[in-house]
Amino acid sequence: MTTLFINARLIDPEAGTDAPGAVLVADGQITEILPEGTQAEHLFRARNIDPTEAEVVDCGGKCLAPGIVDIGVKVCEPGERHKESYKTAGLAAAAGGVTTMITRPDTNPAIDSPETLEFVTRRAQADTPVNVLPMAALTKGREGREMTEIGFLLDAGAVAFSDCDHVVANTKVFSRALSYAKSCGALVIAHPQEPVLSAGAAASSSKFATLRGLPAVSPMAERMGLDRDIALLEMTGARYHADQITTARALPALERAKANGLDITAGTSIHHLTLNELDVADYRTFFKVKPPLRAEEDRLAVIEAVRSGLIDTISSMHTPQDEESKRLPFEEAAAGAVALETLLPAALRLYHAEQLDLPTLFRAMSLNPAKRLGLACGRLTAGAPADLILFDADVPFVLDRFTLKSKSQNTPFDGQRMQGRVLATYVAGAPVFRRD
């Protein structure tokens, strides 16, 4: 099937442009980017395309962009399917414009063997309408004692290795894992935190946390964790991605590491870009995430780092938690929030606040994650996979968490006014979601 998208506002993160145009798709790939005013009948005649075998999608002046590549999605299979399954996560991803999910290995049991990886790969292929690429654990059981069989896991389809929020505290084990990953060309995704300082923290250290009586962690814990990891990168030369940089104090270290030529990239989560520590004022546990929400000064510094390109990626850090895990005192409640469906509307808050333009947002949500993982998607260019999202950047709505497609509905944006919604999502040129 050939599809022609006309009358679109094209968001091209590679060229950094936001301009009207049209896109021609055939056999699951983008075949041509066309100028504004392209007429379907003229184009089909010129390209010798049978109009009866083609679909024309009039975008009505709405935005057409590469599908989101979301690094760090937790799907709770195996072990906690009651929180999120591949089927519900896939539906949520399609509704949120996420065309490629990079899934985390922090399941129960952890994805630390080729057999477990094969199981989740089969489930994902059978149950999800979007692309799913799994990560595997860096150490067995994510316990930080013995590294996994990285080579075998790579052969089985792992795209990266991470122990997620379980920091490998043993520096010798971590350095050996980095060295082995380097020899295999594998990407290691780490959670930069000093584990002893950050243990048990529910908030960032501040006067606010003290007044609320919440156990807190200094932002320096993130800086210390990143400094250690950078030192090990200098020693091993491994490929490294920091999953979440959330504090201003960590940014100079990241900048120096990049300037020194280390193979390092960094991401941040949409919650740390759009929320701050004051949002937990009434102890709402839906605002409890890991790392904890930061001060407004940190939030603004991280936004600027995304704008400048110092921070490479924005992700949802989709972490489903059931009601029993969240309906607890703030200190005891599980950390995490669902965000596959709220990632784009929340990111558009930064666009409407004139803090980040749309090409910059999609550079961080689509292009850079794809480049870091060596994927061909995330681009709006001829030859790229036709993984696309059509969205209205301006339509207002009030988010009702009970309308979300995720099994768990622990979103901090419940009841909030949002602006911008996905209208349709396409994977390999085929529609996987259309808003009624």
Side-chain angles (χ1 to χ4, degrees):
M1 172 66 77
T2 298
T3 306
L4 176 64
F5 297 87
I6 60 171
N7 193 21
R9 179 180 167 191
L10 302 183
I11 311 301
D12 187 341
E14 202 162 28
T17 57
D18 175 352
V23 176
L24 183 64
V25 169
D27 299 324
Q29 288 191 326
I30 297 171
T31 58
E32 204 169 346
I33 305 296
L34 301 154
E36 181 183 12
T38 295
Q39 298 295 316
E41 59 274 15
H42 296 158
L43 179 73
F44 291 161
R45 193 180 307 117
R47 302 295 187 273
N48 197 27
I49 297 170
D50 184 350
T52 62
E53 297 181 359
E55 179 185 9
V56 178
V57 177
D58 188 340
C59 299
K62 307 306 181 189
C63 299
L64 188 68
I68 296 169
V69 179
D70 193 2
I71 295 179
V73 175
K74 181 170 182 179
V75 181
C76 304
E77 291 189 72
E80 296 177 303
R81 198 167 183 269
H82 63 286
K83 294 183 179 181
E84 190 80 287
S85 66
Y86 274 99
K87 182 175 181 179
T88 55
L91 293 174
V98 176
T99 54
T100 301
M101 294 192 295
I102 313 300
T103 55
R104 294 180 354 222
D106 52 340
T107 50
N108 184 21
I111 302 170
D112 60 0
S113 69
E115 293 78 17
T116 312
L117 186 67
E118 183 182 356
F119 165 78
V120 298
T121 301
R122 286 201 313 269
R123 290 300 286 258
Q125 290 174 344
D127 292 349
T128 57
V130 301
N131 303 308
V132 178
L133 300 173
M135 290 190 269
L138 185 65
T139 65
K140 293 182 178 180
R142 299 193 303 127
E143 295 175 350
R145 294 199 293 263
E146 183 182 357
M147 68 180 174
T148 55
E149 297 170 325
I150 292 174
F152 289 149
L153 287 163
L154 275 175
D155 292 341
V159 295
F161 295 83
S162 177
D163 277 357
C164 304
D165 60 349
H166 284 193
V167 177
V168 182
N170 188 314
T171 303
K172 182 174 285 189
V173 171
F174 193 41
S175 66
R176 286 175 174 170
L178 286 171
S179 295
Y180 193 78
K182 163 68 174 176
S183 70
C184 298
L187 176 66
V188 173
I189 298 180
H191 184 71
Q193 287 289 318
E194 204 295 313
V196 177
L197 276 179
S198 57
S204 295
S205 296
S206 66
K207 180 180 179 181
F208 174 79
T210 302
L211 290 171
R212 286 291 182 272
L214 294 174
V217 58
S218 168
M220 283 302 293
E222 182 170 285
R223 164 72 179 276
M224 292 166 68
L226 184 62
D227 279 338
R228 182 201 72 155
D229 290 0
I230 288 171
L232 292 176
L233 289 183
E234 291 182 7
M235 185 171 76
T236 63
R239 298 175 62 221
Y240 174 97
H241 178 80
D243 65 350
Q244 294 183 82
I245 297 296
T246 62
T247 66
R249 291 190 175 185
L251 296 174
L254 176 63
E255 188 171 18
R256 285 194 301 272
K258 287 191 169 188
N260 290 336
L262 298 182
D263 193 351
I264 181 172
T265 52
T268 193
S269 87
I270 191 59
H271 300 114
H272 291 93
L273 286 171
T274 55
L275 303 169
N276 67 27
E277 61 181 352
L278 302 181
D279 286 304
V280 304
D282 56 358
Y283 300 102
R284 284 194 65 199
T285 57
F286 283 176
F287 288 89
K288 185 178 181 181
V289 294
K290 187 183 286 189
L293 295 176
R294 306 300 192 180
E296 178 67 2
E297 294 77 11
D298 287 312
R299 187 183 78 88
L300 294 175
V302 171
I303 291 173
E304 175 57 26
V306 173
R307 190 198 63 76
S308 69
L310 179 59
I311 288 180
D312 304 89
T313 67
I314 299 171
S315 66
S316 68
M317 292 308 294
H318 180 80
T319 306
Q321 301 288 3
D322 56 17
E323 297 286 325
E324 290 75 13
S325 301
K326 283 292 189 181
R327 299 294 184 192
L328 294 169
F330 196 91
E331 193 175 328
E332 300 172 21
V338 295
L340 283 168
E341 290 172 78
T342 57
L343 173 56
L344 181 60
L348 289 172
R349 286 183 164 188
L350 305 173
Y351 163 69
H352 291 297
E354 299 183 351
Q355 292 172 312
L356 297 173
D357 61 24
L358 290 178
T360 301
L361 279 174
F362 278 88
R363 179 186 71 194
M365 294 192 297
S366 302
L367 177 63
N368 284 348
K371 288 171 66 176
R372 190 54 169 150
L373 294 164
L375 307 177
C377 56
R379 298 163 173 84
L380 204 62
T381 54
D387 297 344
L388 304 167
I389 54 173
L390 179 66
F391 66 96
D392 185 337
D394 300 312
V395 61
F397 69 100
V398 175
L399 183 75
D400 178 359
R401 73 186 183 97
F402 295 107
T403 64
L404 297 178
K405 298 184 183 300
S406 293
K407 273 190 181 181
S408 297
Q409 295 159 333
N410 50 303
T411 173
F413 298 111
D414 182 38
Q416 295 198 21
R417 296 182 181 275
M418 312 291 280
Q419 192 172 359
R421 302 192 89 166
V422 173
L423 303 176
T425 304
Y426 298 83
V427 174
V432 295
F433 171 79
R434 281 183 173 142
R435 189 168 298 282
D436 298 331

